[in-house]
Coordinates of all heavy atoms in Angstrom, one line a residue:
M60 N 0.8 -1.2 0.0 CA 0.0 0.0 0.1 C 0.9 1.2 0.1 O 0.5 2.2 -0.6 CB -0.9 0.0 1.1 CG -2.1 -1.0 1.1 SD -3.5 -0.9 2.3 CE -2.8 0.1 3.7
A61 N 2.0 1.1 0.6 CA 2.9 2.5 0.8 C 3.3 2.8 -0.7 O 3.3 4.0 -1.1 CB 3.9 2.1 1.7
Y62 N 3.7 1.8 -1.5 CA 4.2 2.1 -2.8 C 3.2 2.5 -3.6 O 3.3 3.5 -4.4 CB 4.9 0.7 -3.4 CG 5.3 1.0 -4.9 CD1 6.4 1.5 -5.2 CD2 4.5 0.7 -5.9 CE1 6.9 1.8 -6.4 CE2 4.8 0.8 -7.1 CZ 6.1 1.4 -7.5 OH 6.4 1.6 -8.8
E63 N 2.0 1.9 -3.6 CA 0.8 2.4 -4.4 C 0.5 3.7 -4.1 O 0.2 4.5 -5.1 CB -0.4 1.3 -4.3 CG -1.6 1.7 -5.1 CD -2.7 0.8 -4.8 OE1 -2.6 -0.2 -4.1 OE2 -3.8 1.1 -5.3
G64 N 0.2 4.1 -2.9 CA -0.1 5.4 -2.6 C 0.8 6.6 -3.0 O 0.5 7.7 -3.5
V65 N 2.1 6.2 -2.8 CA 3.1 7.3 -3.1 C 3.3 7.3 -4.6 O 3.3 8.4 -5.3 CB 4.5 6.8 -2.6 CG1 5.6 7.7 -3.1 CG2 4.5 7.0 -1.0
S66 N 3.1 6.2 -5.3 CA 3.1 6.2 -6.8 C 2.0 7.0 -7.4 O 2.2 7.8 -8.3 CB 3.2 4.9 -7.4 OG 3.2 4.8 -8.8
N67 N 0.9 6.9 -6.8 CA -0.4 7.6 -7.3 C -0.3 9.1 -6.9 O -0.5 9.9 -7.9 CB -1.7 7.1 -6.5 CG -2.0 5.7 -7.1 OD1 -1.6 5.2 -8.0 ND2 -2.9 5.1 -6.3
Y68 N 0.2 9.4 -5.9 CA 0.5 10.9 -5.5 C 1.6 11.4 -6.5 O 1.4 12.5 -7.0 CB 1.1 10.9 -4.0 CG 1.6 12.4 -3.8 CD1 0.7 13.4 -3.5 CD2 3.0 12.7 -3.9 CE1 1.2 14.7 -3.2 CE2 3.5 13.9 -3.6 CZ 2.5 14.9 -3.4 OH 3.1 16.2 -3.1
C69 N 2.8 10.7 -6.8 CA 3.7 11.3 -7.7 C 3.2 11.3 -9.1 O 3.6 12.4 -9.8 CB 4.9 10.3 -7.7 SG 5.9 10.4 -6.1
H70 N 2.4 10.6 -9.6 CA 1.9 10.6 -10.8 C 0.8 11.7 -11.0 O 0.5 12.3 -12.0 CB 1.3 9.2 -11.3 CG 2.2 8.4 -11.7 ND1 3.0 7.5 -11.0 CD2 2.6 8.1 -13.1 CE1 3.9 6.9 -11.7 NE2 3.7 7.2 -12.8
S71 N 0.1 12.2 -9.9 CA -0.7 13.3 -9.9 C -0.1 14.5 -9.7 O -0.5 15.5 -10.1 CB -1.9 13.0 -8.9 OG -1.4 13.1 -7.6
A72 N 1.0 14.6 -8.8 CA 1.7 15.9 -8.4 C 2.7 16.3 -9.4 O 3.1 17.6 -9.6 CB 2.3 15.7 -7.0
Y73 N 3.4 15.4 -10.0 CA 4.5 15.8 -11.0 C 4.2 15.5 -12.4 O 3.5 14.6 -12.8 CB 5.7 14.8 -10.5 CG 6.3 15.1 -9.0 CD1 6.0 14.2 -8.2 CD2 6.7 16.2 -8.8 CE1 6.4 14.3 -6.8 CE2 7.1 16.4 -7.4 CZ 6.9 15.4 -6.5 OH 7.2 15.6 -5.1
D74 N 4.8 16.2 -13.2 CA 4.7 16.2 -14.7 C 5.6 15.1 -15.2 O 6.8 15.2 -15.3 CB 5.1 17.4 -15.4 CG 4.9 17.5 -17.0 OD1 4.3 16.5 -17.4 OD2 5.3 18.3 -17.6
W75 N 5.0 13.9 -15.7 CA 5.6 12.9 -16.2 C 5.9 12.8 -17.6 O 6.5 11.9 -18.2 CB 5.0 11.5 -15.9 CG 5.0 11.3 -14.3 CD1 4.4 11.8 -13.3 CD2 5.9 10.3 -13.7 NE1 4.8 11.3 -12.2 CE2 5.8 10.3 -12.3 CE3 6.8 9.2 -14.3 CZ2 6.4 9.5 -11.4 CZ3 7.4 8.4 -13.4 CH2 7.2 8.6 -12.0
S76 N 5.4 13.9 -18.4 CA 5.5 13.9 -19.8 C 6.9 13.8 -20.3 O 7.2 13.2 -21.4 CB 4.8 15.2 -20.4 OG 5.4 16.2 -20.0
I77 N 7.9 14.4 -19.6 CA 9.3 14.3 -20.0 C 9.9 12.9 -20.0 O 10.8 12.5 -20.7 CB 10.1 15.3 -19.2 CG1 11.4 15.5 -19.8 CG2 10.3 14.9 -17.8 CD1 12.3 16.7 -19.5
A78 N 9.2 12.1 -19.2 CA 9.8 10.7 -19.0 C 9.1 9.8 -20.1 O 9.5 8.6 -20.1 CB 9.2 10.1 -17.6
K79 N 8.3 10.1 -20.9 CA 7.8 9.4 -21.9 C 8.8 8.9 -23.0 O 8.9 7.8 -23.3 CB 6.6 10.1 -22.8 CG 5.3 10.2 -21.9 CD 4.3 10.8 -22.7 CE 3.0 10.9 -21.8 NZ 2.0 11.6 -22.6
E80 N 9.7 9.8 -23.3 CA 10.9 9.4 -24.3 C 11.9 8.7 -23.5 O 12.7 7.9 -24.1 CB 11.4 10.7 -24.9 CG 10.3 11.3 -25.8 CD 11.0 12.4 -26.7 OE1 12.2 12.6 -26.7 OE2 10.2 13.3 -27.0
N81 N 12.1 9.0 -22.2 CA 13.2 8.4 -21.5 C 12.7 8.0 -20.0 O 12.9 8.7 -19.0 CB 14.4 9.2 -21.3 CG 15.7 8.6 -20.7 OD1 15.5 7.4 -20.3 ND2 16.8 9.3 -20.6
P82 N 12.0 6.8 -19.9 CA 11.4 6.4 -18.7 C 12.2 6.3 -17.4 O 11.9 6.4 -16.4 CB 10.6 5.1 -19.0 CG 10.7 5.0 -20.5 CD 11.7 5.9 -21.0
S83 N 13.5 5.9 -17.8 CA 14.4 5.8 -16.6 C 14.8 7.0 -15.8 O 15.4 6.8 -14.8 CB 15.7 5.0 -17.1 OG 16.5 5.8 -18.0
I84 N 14.4 8.2 -16.4 CA 14.9 9.4 -15.8 C 13.9 9.8 -14.5 O 14.3 10.6 -13.7 CB 15.1 10.6 -16.6 CG1 13.7 10.9 -17.4 CG2 16.3 10.4 -17.7 CD1 13.9 12.3 -18.1
M85 N 12.7 9.1 -14.6 CA 11.8 9.4 -13.5 C 11.2 8.1 -13.0 O 10.9 7.2 -13.9 CB 10.6 10.3 -13.8 CG 11.0 11.7 -14.0 SD 9.6 12.7 -14.5 CE 8.6 12.9 -13.0
Y86 N 11.2 7.8 -11.7 CA 10.8 6.6 -11.2 C 10.4 6.6 -9.7 O 10.7 7.6 -9.1 CB 11.8 5.4 -11.4 CG 13.0 5.7 -10.9 CD1 13.3 5.3 -9.4 CD2 14.2 6.2 -11.6 CE1 14.5 5.5 -8.8 CE2 15.4 6.2 -11.0 CZ 15.5 5.9 -9.7 OH 16.8 6.1 -9.1
V87 N 9.6 5.7 -9.3 CA 9.2 5.5 -7.9 C 9.6 4.0 -7.6 O 9.4 3.1 -8.2 CB 7.7 5.6 -7.7 CG1 7.3 5.3 -6.2 CG2 7.2 7.0 -8.1
Q88 N 10.3 3.9 -6.4 CA 10.8 2.6 -6.0 C 10.7 2.4 -4.4 O 10.8 3.5 -3.6 CB 12.3 2.3 -6.5 CG 13.3 3.1 -5.9 CD 14.7 2.7 -6.4 OE1 14.8 2.0 -7.5 NE2 15.7 3.0 -5.6
M89 N 10.8 1.3 -4.0 CA 10.7 1.0 -2.5 C 12.2 1.3 -2.0 O 13.1 1.0 -2.7 CB 10.3 -0.4 -2.1 CG 8.8 -0.6 -2.3 SD 7.7 0.3 -1.2 CE 8.1 -0.1 0.4
G90 N 12.2 1.8 -0.8 CA 13.5 2.1 -0.1 C 13.6 1.1 1.0 O 13.1 0.0 1.0
E91 N 14.2 1.6 2.1 CA 14.4 0.9 3.3 C 13.1 0.7 4.2 O 12.1 1.6 4.0 CB 15.6 1.5 4.1 CG 16.8 1.6 3.5 CD 17.9 2.3 4.4 OE1 17.6 2.6 5.5 OE2 18.9 2.5 3.8
E92 N 13.1 -0.2 5.0 CA 11.9 -0.5 6.0 C 12.5 -0.6 7.4 O 13.6 -1.2 7.6 CB 11.3 -1.7 5.6 CG 10.2 -2.1 6.5 CD 9.4 -3.5 6.2 OE1 9.7 -4.0 5.1 OE2 8.6 -3.9 7.0
T93 N 11.9 0.2 8.2 CA 12.2 0.2 9.7 C 11.1 -0.5 10.4 O 10.0 -0.8 9.9 CB 12.5 1.6 10.3 OG1 11.3 2.3 10.2 CG2 13.6 2.3 9.4
D94 N 11.1 -0.5 11.7 CA 10.1 -1.2 12.5 C 8.8 -0.3 12.4 O 7.7 -0.8 12.5 CB 10.4 -1.4 13.9 CG 11.4 -2.4 14.1 OD1 11.6 -3.4 13.3 OD2 12.1 -2.3 15.3
S95 N 9.0 1.1 12.2 CA 7.8 1.8 12.2 C 7.4 2.6 10.9 O 6.4 3.2 10.7 CB 8.0 2.9 13.1 OG 9.2 3.7 12.9
A96 N 8.3 2.5 9.8 CA 8.0 3.1 8.6 C 8.5 2.3 7.4 O 9.4 1.6 7.5 CB 8.6 4.6 8.6
Y97 N 7.8 2.7 6.3 CA 8.4 2.4 5.0 C 9.0 3.6 4.3 O 8.4 4.7 4.4 CB 7.2 1.8 4.1 CG 6.6 0.5 4.5 CD1 5.3 0.5 5.1 CD2 7.2 -0.8 4.4 CE1 4.6 -0.5 5.5 CE2 6.6 -1.8 4.9 CZ 5.4 -1.8 5.3 OH 4.7 -2.9 5.8
Q98 N 10.0 3.4 3.5 CA 10.5 4.4 2.7 C 10.2 4.1 1.2 O 10.5 3.1 0.8 CB 12.1 4.6 3.0 CG 12.6 5.7 2.1 CD 14.1 5.6 2.0 OE1 14.7 4.4 2.2 NE2 14.9 6.8 1.9
V99 N 9.6 5.2 0.6 CA 9.5 5.1 -0.9 C 10.1 6.2 -1.5 O 10.0 7.4 -0.9 CB 8.0 5.1 -1.2 CG1 7.7 4.9 -2.7 CG2 7.2 4.0 -0.5
V100 N 10.9 6.1 -2.5 CA 11.7 7.1 -3.1 C 11.2 7.3 -4.5 O 11.0 6.6 -5.4 CB 13.2 6.7 -3.3 CG1 14.1 7.7 -3.9 CG2 13.7 6.2 -1.9
F101 N 11.1 8.6 -4.8 CA 10.8 9.2 -6.2 C 12.0 9.9 -6.7 O 12.5 10.7 -6.0 CB 9.6 10.1 -6.1 CG 9.4 11.1 -7.3 CD1 8.8 10.5 -8.5 CD2 9.7 12.4 -7.3 CE1 8.8 11.3 -9.6 CE2 9.6 13.1 -8.4 CZ 9.0 12.6 -9.6
R102 N 12.3 9.6 -7.9 CA 13.5 10.3 -8.6 C 12.8 11.2 -9.7 O 12.2 10.8 -10.5 CB 14.5 9.3 -9.2 CG 15.6 10.2 -9.8 CD 16.4 9.3 -10.7 NE 17.6 9.9 -11.1 CZ 17.8 10.7 -12.2 NH1 16.7 11.0 -12.8 NH2 19.0 11.2 -12.6
S103 N 13.1 12.5 -9.8 CA 12.8 13.4 -10.7 C 13.6 13.5 -11.8 O 14.9 13.1 -11.7 CB 12.6 14.8 -10.1 OG 12.5 15.8 -11.1
Y104 N 13.2 13.9 -12.9 CA 14.2 14.0 -14.1 C 15.2 15.0 -13.9 O 16.2 15.1 -14.5 CB 13.3 14.5 -15.4 CG 12.8 15.9 -15.3 CD1 13.4 16.9 -15.8 CD2 11.5 16.2 -14.8 CE1 12.9 18.2 -15.8 CE2 11.0 17.4 -14.6 CZ 11.8 18.5 -15.2 OH 11.3 19.7 -15.1
T105 N 15.1 15.9 -12.9 CA 16.2 16.8 -12.4 C 17.3 16.2 -11.8 O 18.2 16.9 -11.5 CB 15.5 18.0 -11.7 OG1 15.1 17.4 -10.4 CG2 14.4 18.7 -12.4
G106 N 17.0 15.1 -11.3 CA 18.1 14.3 -10.5 C 17.8 14.4 -9.1 O 18.5 13.7 -8.3
A107 N 16.8 15.2 -8.6 CA 16.5 15.3 -7.3 C 15.6 14.1 -6.8 O 15.0 13.5 -7.6 CB 15.7 16.6 -6.9
F108 N 15.7 13.8 -5.5 CA 15.0 12.7 -5.0 C 14.0 13.1 -4.0 O 14.3 14.1 -3.2 CB 15.8 11.6 -4.2 CG 16.7 10.9 -5.2 CD1 17.9 11.5 -5.6 CD2 16.4 9.7 -5.8 CE1 18.8 10.8 -6.4 CE2 17.2 9.2 -6.7 CZ 18.4 9.6 -6.9
V109 N 12.9 12.6 -3.9 CA 11.9 12.8 -2.6 C 11.8 11.6 -2.0 O 11.2 10.6 -2.5 CB 10.5 13.4 -3.2 CG1 9.5 13.7 -2.0 CG2 10.7 14.7 -4.0
N110 N 12.1 11.5 -0.7 CA 11.9 10.4 0.1 C 10.7 10.6 0.8 O 10.5 11.5 1.5 CB 13.1 10.3 1.1 CG 14.5 10.0 0.4 OD1 14.6 9.0 -0.2 ND2 15.3 10.9 0.6
F111 N 9.8 9.6 0.8 CA 8.6 9.5 1.5 C 8.6 8.5 2.6 O 9.0 7.3 2.4 CB 7.5 8.9 0.5 CG 7.1 9.9 -0.6 CD1 7.9 10.0 -1.7 CD2 6.1 10.8 -0.5 CE1 7.6 10.9 -2.8 CE2 5.7 11.8 -1.5 CZ 6.5 11.7 -2.7
Y112 N 8.4 8.8 3.9 CA 8.4 8.0 5.0 C 7.0 7.7 5.5 O 6.4 8.7 6.0 CB 9.4 8.6 6.0 CG 10.7 9.0 5.6 CD1 11.2 10.1 5.1 CD2 11.6 7.9 5.6 CE1 12.4 10.3 4.7 CE2 12.9 8.0 5.3 CZ 13.3 9.2 4.7 OH 14.6 9.5 4.3
V113 N 6.6 6.5 5.2 CA 5.2 6.2 5.5 C 5.0 5.5 6.8 O 5.7 4.4 7.1 CB 4.6 5.3 4.4 CG1 3.1 4.9 4.7 CG2 4.8 5.9 3.0
D114 N 4.3 6.1 7.8 CA 4.2 5.5 9.1 C 3.3 4.3 8.9 O 2.2 4.4 8.3 CB 3.5 6.4 10.0 CG 3.4 6.0 11.4 OD1 2.6 5.1 11.7 OD2 4.0 6.5 12.3
K115 N 3.8 3.1 9.4 CA 3.1 1.9 9.2 C 1.8 1.9 10.1 O 0.8 1.2 9.6 CB 4.0 0.8 9.8 CG 5.1 0.4 8.9 CD 5.8 -0.8 9.5 CE 7.0 -1.2 8.6 NZ 7.7 -2.3 9.1
A116 N 1.7 2.5 11.1 CA 0.5 2.6 12.0 C -0.7 3.4 11.4 O -1.8 3.1 11.5 CB 0.7 2.9 13.5
T117 N -0.2 4.6 10.9 CA -1.2 5.7 10.7 C -1.3 6.1 9.3 O -2.5 6.6 8.7 CB -0.9 7.0 11.3 OG1 0.3 7.5 10.8 CG2 -0.7 6.7 12.9
G118 N -0.3 5.8 8.4 CA -0.4 6.0 7.0 C 0.1 7.4 6.6 O 0.2 7.8 5.5
T119 N 0.4 8.2 7.8 CA 0.8 9.6 7.6 C 2.3 9.6 7.0 O 3.0 8.7 7.4 CB 1.0 10.4 9.0 OG1 -0.5 10.5 9.5 CG2 1.4 11.8 8.8
T120 N 2.4 10.4 6.0 CA 3.6 10.2 5.2 C 4.3 11.5 5.1 O 3.9 12.6 4.7 CB 3.2 9.8 3.7 OG1 2.5 8.7 3.7 CG2 4.4 9.6 2.8
R121 N 5.6 11.5 5.7 CA 6.5 12.7 5.6 C 7.3 12.6 4.4 O 7.8 11.5 4.1 CB 7.4 12.6 6.9 CG 8.3 13.8 7.1 CD 9.0 13.7 8.4 NE 9.8 12.6 8.5 CZ 11.1 12.3 8.0 NH1 11.6 13.4 7.3 NH2 11.8 11.2 8.2
M122 N 7.6 13.9 3.9 CA 8.3 13.9 2.5 C 9.6 14.7 2.9 O 9.5 15.7 3.6 CB 7.5 14.6 1.4 CG 6.2 13.9 1.1 SD 5.3 14.6 -0.2 CE 4.9 16.3 0.4
E123 N 10.8 14.3 2.2 CA 11.9 15.1 2.5 C 12.6 15.1 1.0 O 12.9 13.9 0.4 CB 12.9 14.3 3.4 CG 14.3 14.9 3.5 CD 15.2 14.1 4.3 OE1 15.8 13.2 3.9 OE2 15.3 14.5 5.6
E124 N 12.8 16.2 0.6 CA 13.5 16.4 -0.8 C 15.1 16.4 -0.5 O 15.7 17.0 0.3 CB 13.1 17.7 -1.4 CG 13.7 17.8 -2.9 CD 13.1 19.1 -3.6 OE1 13.3 20.1 -2.9 OE2 12.6 18.9 -4.6
Y125 N 15.8 15.7 -1.4 CA 17.3 15.5 -1.4 C 17.8 15.8 -2.9 O 17.5 15.3 -3.7 CB 17.8 14.3 -1.0 CG 19.3 14.2 -1.1 CD1 20.0 14.8 -0.3 CD2 19.7 13.1 -1.8 CE1 21.5 14.7 -0.4 CE2 21.2 12.9 -1.9 CZ 22.0 13.8 -1.1 OH 23.3 13.6 -1.2
V126 N 18.7 16.9 -2.9 CA 19.3 17.3 -4.1 C 20.8 16.9 -4.0 O 21.5 17.6 -3.4 CB 19.2 18.9 -4.4 CG1 19.8 19.2 -5.8 CG2 17.8 19.3 -4.4
P127 N 21.1 15.8 -4.7 CA 22.5 15.3 -4.5 C 23.7 16.1 -4.9 O 24.6 16.2 -4.4 CB 22.4 14.0 -5.2 CG 21.0 13.7 -5.7 CD 20.3 14.9 -5.5
T128 N 23.3 17.0 -6.1 CA 24.3 17.7 -6.7 C 24.8 18.8 -5.7 O 25.9 19.4 -5.8 CB 23.9 18.3 -8.0 OG1 22.7 19.0 -7.9 CG2 23.9 17.2 -9.0
L129 N 23.7 19.3 -4.9 CA 24.1 20.4 -3.9 C 24.2 19.8 -2.5 O 24.5 20.6 -1.6 CB 23.0 21.3 -4.0 CG 22.6 22.0 -5.3 CD1 21.4 22.8 -5.3 CD2 23.8 22.8 -5.8
D130 N 24.0 18.5 -2.3 CA 24.0 17.9 -1.0 C 23.0 18.7 0.0 O 23.4 19.0 1.1 CB 25.4 17.8 -0.4 CG 25.4 16.8 0.7 OD1 24.7 15.9 0.8 OD2 26.3 16.9 1.6
V131 N 21.7 18.9 -0.4 CA 20.8 19.7 0.3 C 19.6 18.8 0.6 O 19.1 18.1 -0.3 CB 20.4 21.0 -0.5 CG1 19.3 21.6 0.2 CG2 21.6 22.0 -0.7
R132 N 19.2 18.9 1.8 CA 18.0 18.2 2.2 C 17.0 19.3 2.8 O 17.3 20.0 3.5 CB 18.3 17.1 3.2 CG 19.0 16.0 2.8 CD 19.3 14.9 3.9 NE 20.2 13.9 3.5 CZ 19.8 12.8 2.9 NH1 18.6 12.6 2.5 NH2 20.8 11.9 2.5
N133 N 15.7 19.0 2.3 CA 14.7 20.0 2.8 C 13.4 19.1 3.1 O 13.0 18.3 2.4 CB 14.3 20.9 1.8 CG 15.5 21.9 1.5 OD1 15.9 22.5 2.3 ND2 15.7 22.0 0.2
D134 N 12.7 19.5 4.2 CA 11.5 19.0 4.6 C 10.4 19.5 3.5 O 10.5 20.6 3.2 CB 11.0 19.5 5.9 CG 9.8 19.0 6.4 OD1 9.3 18.0 5.8 OD2 9.2 19.7 7.3
A135 N 9.7 18.5 2.9 CA 8.8 18.9 1.8 C 7.3 18.7 2.3 O 6.5 18.6 1.4 CB 9.2 18.0 0.7
G136 N 7.1 18.6 3.6 CA 5.6 18.4 4.0 C 5.1 17.1 4.3 O 6.1 16.1 4.4
T137 N 3.9 16.9 4.5 CA 3.3 15.6 4.6 C 2.2 15.4 3.8 O 1.6 16.3 3.1 CB 2.8 15.4 6.1 OG1 1.8 16.5 6.4 CG2 4.0 15.5 7.0
I138 N 1.8 14.2 3.5 CA 0.5 13.8 2.8 C -0.3 12.6 3.6 O 0.4 12.0 4.4 CB 0.7 13.3 1.3 CG1 1.6 12.0 1.3 CG2 1.3 14.4 0.4 CD1 1.7 11.4 -0.1
E139 N -1.5 12.7 3.4 CA -2.2 11.4 3.8 C -2.3 10.3 2.7 O -2.9 10.5 1.8 CB -3.7 11.8 4.2 CG -3.7 12.7 5.5 CD -3.1 12.1 6.7 OE1 -3.3 10.8 6.9 OE2 -2.5 12.7 7.5
L140 N -1.6 9.2 3.0 CA -1.3 8.2 2.1 C -2.7 7.6 1.7 O -2.9 7.4 0.4 CB -0.5 7.1 2.7 CG -0.3 5.9 1.8 CD1 0.8 6.3 0.7 CD2 0.2 4.7 2.4
F141 N -3.7 7.5 2.5 CA -4.9 6.8 2.2 C -5.7 7.7 1.2 O -6.6 7.2 0.5 CB -5.7 6.6 3.5 CG -5.0 5.6 4.3 CD1 -4.6 5.9 5.7 CD2 -4.9 4.2 4.0 CE1 -4.0 5.0 6.3 CE2 -4.2 3.4 4.7 CZ -3.8 3.7 6.0
D142 N -5.4 9.0 1.0 CA -6.0 9.9 0.0 C -5.7 9.4 -1.3 O -6.3 9.9 -2.2 CB -5.7 11.4 0.2 CG -6.3 11.9 1.5 OD1 -7.3 11.2 2.1 OD2 -5.9 13.0 2.1
Y143 N -4.6 8.8 -1.5 CA -4.0 8.4 -2.8 C -4.1 6.9 -3.1 O -3.6 6.5 -4.1 CB -2.6 8.8 -2.8 CG -2.6 10.5 -2.9 CD1 -2.3 10.9 -1.6 CD2 -2.7 11.2 -3.9 CE1 -2.2 12.4 -1.5 CE2 -2.8 12.5 -3.9 CZ -2.5 13.1 -2.7 OH -2.5 14.5 -2.6
L144 N -4.9 6.2 -2.3 CA -5.1 4.8 -2.5 C -6.5 4.7 -3.2 O -7.4 5.3 -2.9 CB -5.0 3.9 -1.3 CG -3.7 3.8 -0.7 CD1 -3.9 3.1 0.7 CD2 -2.7 3.1 -1.6
K145 N -6.6 3.8 -4.2 CA -7.9 3.6 -4.9 C -8.8 3.0 -4.0 O -8.6 2.0 -3.3 CB -7.7 2.7 -6.2 CG -6.6 3.2 -7.2 CD -6.6 2.4 -8.4 CE -5.6 3.1 -9.4 NZ -4.9 2.2 -10.2
K146 N -10.1 3.5 -4.0 CA -11.1 3.1 -3.2 C -11.8 1.8 -3.9 O -12.3 1.9 -4.9 CB -12.1 4.2 -2.9 CG -11.4 5.4 -2.2 CD -12.4 6.2 -1.5 CE -11.7 7.4 -0.8 NZ -10.4 7.5 -0.7
N147 N -11.9 0.7 -3.2 CA -12.6 -0.5 -3.6 C -14.0 -0.4 -3.3 O -14.3 -0.5 -2.1 CB -11.9 -1.7 -3.2 CG -10.5 -1.9 -3.6 OD1 -10.1 -1.5 -4.8 ND2 -9.7 -2.5 -2.8
Q148 N -14.9 -0.3 -4.3 CA -16.3 -0.1 -4.0 C -17.0 -1.2 -4.9 O -16.6 -1.6 -5.9 CB -17.0 1.2 -4.3 CG -16.4 2.2 -3.4 CD -16.9 3.6 -3.6 OE1 -17.8 3.8 -4.5 NE2 -16.5 4.5 -2.9

C-alpha cells in the first residue's frame, strides 16, 4: 500500500510527460523499511529525490527532498497516504 499510494501521489503531483521518451529518468521505488515506517523514493528528471516515509500505523507520510548535486535536504511536508489509494467499491 505504501508504494501504491506514493506512486499515485507522484503521478498526480509531478509532470511525467518528459519521462515518456526516457522512462528511466523518473521513477518510484521502495527504499528501506524500519520497524515503524516504509521508505518510498521518487526520482525526478532533474536528479532530485523525494523520500517518502510512510508511518506503518497511521499512513501519515512525511516527505523529504534531497538534491545530491548540492547535498541539500529539505522538509517537503506531509500527505495522507490513504487519500491516494484507490477506493474499492
Side-chain angles (χ1 to χ4, degrees):
M60 286 188 344
Y62 175 84
E63 179 185 354
V65 170
S66 181
N67 289 342
Y68 169 81
C69 290
H70 279 84
S71 69
Y73 302 107
D74 178 10
W75 287 73
S76 63
I77 195 159
K79 287 181 182 176
E80 291 183 24
N81 187 359
S83 65
I84 64 171
M85 286 179 74
Y86 57 82
V87 177
Q88 69 182 23
M89 288 300 296
E91 298 177 5
E92 178 181 351
T93 66
D94 289 342
S95 61
Y97 296 108
Q98 178 191 29
V99 184
V100 180
F101 166 71
R102 183 194 188 277
S103 171
Y104 70 91
T105 64
F108 293 89
V109 180
N110 296 300
F111 294 82
Y112 299 97
V113 181
D114 185 287
K115 289 181 176 180
T117 66
T119 299
T120 304
R121 182 177 60 85
M122 301 181 298
E123 179 186 84
E124 184 177 48
Y125 174 59
V126 182
T128 56
L129 302 174
D130 195 27
V131 173
R132 293 182 188 276
N133 291 309
D134 182 17
T137 61
I138 63 169
E139 289 299 323
L140 182 75
F141 297 113
D142 291 346
Y143 295 93
L144 291 172
K145 294 179 182 155
K146 303 205 180 344
N147 295 327
Q148 294 182 359

